[in-house]
Amino acid sequence: MADLEDLYREIILDHYRSPRNRGELESPPAHRVEGFNPLCGDEVVVTMVVEDGKLADIKFAGTGCSISQSSASLMSSAVKGKPLDEVHGLIRTFKSMMSIHEAALADEQGEPAPVDVRKIGELAALQGVVKFPVRIKCATLSWNALSQGLDELAAASAG
Amino acid sequence: MALDVETLRKDFPLLSRVVNGRPIVYLDSAATALQPRAVLAAMDQYYEQTHANVHRGVYATAEEATNRYESARVTVGRFVGAPDPAREVVFTKNATEALNLVVGSWGRANLSRGDAVLLTTMEHHANLVPWLMLSEQLGLELRYLEVDGQGRLDLSSLEHALEGVKVVAVSAMSNVLGTINPLRHIADAAHAAGAIVVADGAQSVPHLPVDVQDLGVDFLAFSGHKMLGPTGIGALWGRAELLDAMPPFLGGGGMILDVRLDRFLPAESPQRFEAGTPPIAEAVGFGAAVEYLETVGMEAIRAHERELTAYALDAVEERLGGDCTVFGPPAGEDRGGVLSLAFRGVHPHDLAQVLDQYGVCVRPGHHCAKPLMRVLGVSATARASLGLYNDERDVDTLIEGLAEAGRLFA
Ligand SMILES: Cc1ncc(COP(=O)(O)O)c(C=O)c1O
């Protein structure tokens, strides 16, 4: 049985109660992306500024459950100010952490695949979410918005 | 007479399940109800002893299958007071399909550009989206009765709202607020204005004594699975003269009198609206569910659920105080056993997750009533809904779980 403590770790509750980087950057110049989770009606708005190959600034807004809100807050803290290749790396690591498939392969008991906690820091607190498959969408909502935003910016600067 | 819930619970196998180490506390009957053994046994027995396709069979089991299917129709029709159940009850997949049938057949045949339809802002999407779809094609004027601060329909301007309206489509009981709407009053006013009335009985038929003649409505849609029956079957009751004048809904086998290469003659109602092999075993199960409800007694069920609703509303107020809001009218005559909860600082999704640890099944979300969520000013609620098999202990466990969620997120 999956335990509630696996889901609602102290770091998650902390980011839920006191979210970091909450709000909206003025757009333009910031790039703005909206994400929806039709399951629970959650909405997230991610605004971001890319400068000199770095994610110079990022904020998130919207409403949602503790998992979607804390995941957005943790994400913003983890990626803010980072070079884009590092941001893409974090997105990849996070998405693989959220993959039930890989978790199941990693361990017959369905324990999540071990991630290198040194590389992702506080984000590791979201590891327990995979044990609650319906909540994975909540956790990935803001990450998908970020990833979409970066793709759009890359396409725009290439075009 | 009071329900003997303790004994009755033994009829429902699923109530003996243990989830997350706790006995299941099933509080999601508004989404779908549990089945008593009698329903499961009737369906098993049908498949083991009788199964054959209905209508036109000559051999013994085919005739038996037809008889069981048709007698289920009569049982279900009598249950809602249909004057002529053999003619007036159409089996559908669920309440949603029944409402789509009314809109797609009666609506398409009787409405044209600019015609007015009166709905309410508390409708389930099943009684809203089909009208929006028809309106996209025809260009209708959709009007809405509003919901007041207590979760009741504001009927102060009903006469005005009804001016020129051809059809009123309204839920008999809200699946979010538990409000039991005054259908008789609405139907009388609608008829005086020359409109017909379509009632969405998905929540009322399972929980209240319902009589279509007392309510004075023209159509009533409901689902088998919300009233202890199986999934895959629902019903539309309609006034015979309306059904007889309606064009078919789906085309195929079973709904015709004659077919040529260039035309067809539709069968009479209800066969006209039942194209293809119907859900026969499900109809048998539906009939058995209705018989079960009748044996327990709808008056007794309503009295029990009404008392339990009052108990739950009091318990939330006393034990959770200002932290927890329940939408909808206070306990009483017009309040059914649906409790949509908002808990300060805790998202419905998180509430439901914590409650799951207590074995408590509640549903977070918009409950297919997004316009109503906007009226209430929330994106979602956590909904606990009561059934005849629930008791005060279930409510106590719910409150215990809610209090824990409050502590966790405080
Ligand atoms: C008021 C109301 N109308 C219609 C429906 C649709 O029922 P079904 O999904 O069985 O078609 C529901 C059930 O969710 C309901 O609560």
Side-chain angles (χ1 to χ4, degrees), chain B residues 103 107-108 110-119 129-144 164 166-167:
Chain B
V103 176
R108 201 176 288 281
N110 291 280
L111 297 175
S112 46
R113 174 166 299 277
D115 279 346
V117 175
L118 182 60
L119 305 165
V129 179
W131 296 107
L132 292 170
M133 286 165 64
L134 187 64
S135 184
E136 273 187 0
Q137 287 165 11
L138 298 182
L140 302 170
E141 181 198 337
L142 301 181
R143 296 182 198 162
Y144 293 92
K166 290 261 174 77
V167 50

Side-chain angles (χ1 to χ4, degrees), chain B residues 79-328:
Chain B
F79 183 65
V80 295
D84 190 356
R87 247 176 99 202
E88 295 175 331
V89 174
V90 180
F91 279 134
T92 60
K93 188 166 68 173
N94 45 35
T96 301
E97 190 180 79
L99 291 163
N100 274 274
L101 197 169
V102 174
V103 176
S105 172
W106 184 91
R108 201 176 288 281
N110 291 280
L111 297 175
S112 46
R113 174 166 299 277
D115 279 346
V117 175
L118 182 60
L119 305 165
T120 84
T121 56
M122 68 163 75
E123 293 315 303
H124 186 280
H125 296 166
N127 196 27
L128 175 55
V129 179
W131 296 107
L132 292 170
M133 286 165 64
L134 187 64
S135 184
E136 273 187 0
Q137 287 165 11
L138 298 182
L140 302 170
E141 181 198 337
L142 301 181
R143 296 182 198 162
Y144 293 92
L145 292 171
E146 306 275 344
V147 175
D148 71 16
Q150 284 217 312
R152 296 190 175 99
L153 287 180
D154 177 1
L155 298 175
S156 57
S157 54
L158 179 62
E159 265 78 36
H160 178 64
L162 277 167
E163 269 166 36
V165 162
K166 290 261 174 77
V167 50
V168 180
V170 54
S171 159
M173 173 172 146
S174 163
N175 66 316
V176 173
L177 303 166
T179 316
I180 298 165
N181 289 321
L183 281 200
R184 177 81 220 193
H185 174 74
I186 294 171
D188 286 346
H191 289 148
I196 67 152
V197 178
V198 182
D200 174 358
Q203 295 297 340
S204 66
V205 176
H207 301 283
L208 320 168
V210 168
D211 184 303
V212 290
Q213 298 179 75
D214 289 347
L215 294 178
V217 297
D218 300 286
F219 289 103
L220 178 73
F222 49 107
S223 276
H225 70 96
K226 292 195 202 275
M227 46 196 287
L228 317 184
T231 54
I233 191 156
L236 175 70
W237 169 83
R239 274 189 207 289
E241 62 274 22
L242 290 173
L243 288 172
D244 286 344
M246 277 156 58
F249 176 51
L250 299 175
M255 50 70 75
I256 50 89
L257 278 185
D258 191 22
V259 180
R260 305 288 169 103
L261 289 177
D262 59 350
R263 69 199 123 105
F264 73 97
L265 260 184
E268 302 270 273
S269 169
Q271 278 73 34
R272 179 182 303 175
F273 305 105
E274 294 181 359
T277 300
I280 310 164
E282 287 76 5
V284 169
F286 196 177
V290 163
E291 279 163 8
Y292 185 93
L293 288 171
E294 281 173 334
T295 306
V296 179
M298 290 310 291
E299 296 283 356
I301 291 172
R302 170 60 184 147
H304 168 68
E305 292 181 8
R306 184 173 159 174
E307 236 170 75
L308 195 56
T309 305
Y311 176 81
L313 290 171
D314 281 350
V316 168
E317 193 169 317
E318 268 168 37
R319 292 182 238 168
L320 303 171
D323 284 342
C324 190
T325 309
V326 184
F327 297 104

Side-chain angles (χ1 to χ4, degrees), chain A residues 1-5 7-8 13 16-17 37-42 63-67 132 134-135 138, chain B residues 19-21 345-347 349-351 353-354 356-358 364-366 370 379-380 404 407-410:
Chain A
M1 188 189 89
D3 243 325
L4 221 48
E5 283 83 58
L7 187 63
Y8 298 128
L13 294 176
Y16 177 53
R17 293 186 194 113
N37 180 355
L39 189 72
C40 51
D42 284 0
T63 57
C65 67
S66 61
I67 302 301
F132 298 81
V134 288
R135 306 304 293 276
C138 312
Chain B
V19 285
N20 294 331
V346 192
H347 190 276
H349 222 130
D350 291 316
L351 278 183
Q353 191 82 60
V354 175
D356 178 50
Q357 295 295 303
Y358 287 77
H366 52 66
K370 290 203 93 169
S379 64
E404 174 58 26
R407 273 191 295 278
L408 186 62
F409 287 93

Side-chain angles (χ1 to χ4, degrees), chain A residues 68-85:
Chain A
S68 76
Q69 297 296 294
S70 63
S71 181
S73 172
L74 281 159
M75 173 191 80
S76 66
S77 321
V79 298
K80 190 168 162 176
K82 293 268 161 64
L84 287 186
D85 53 347

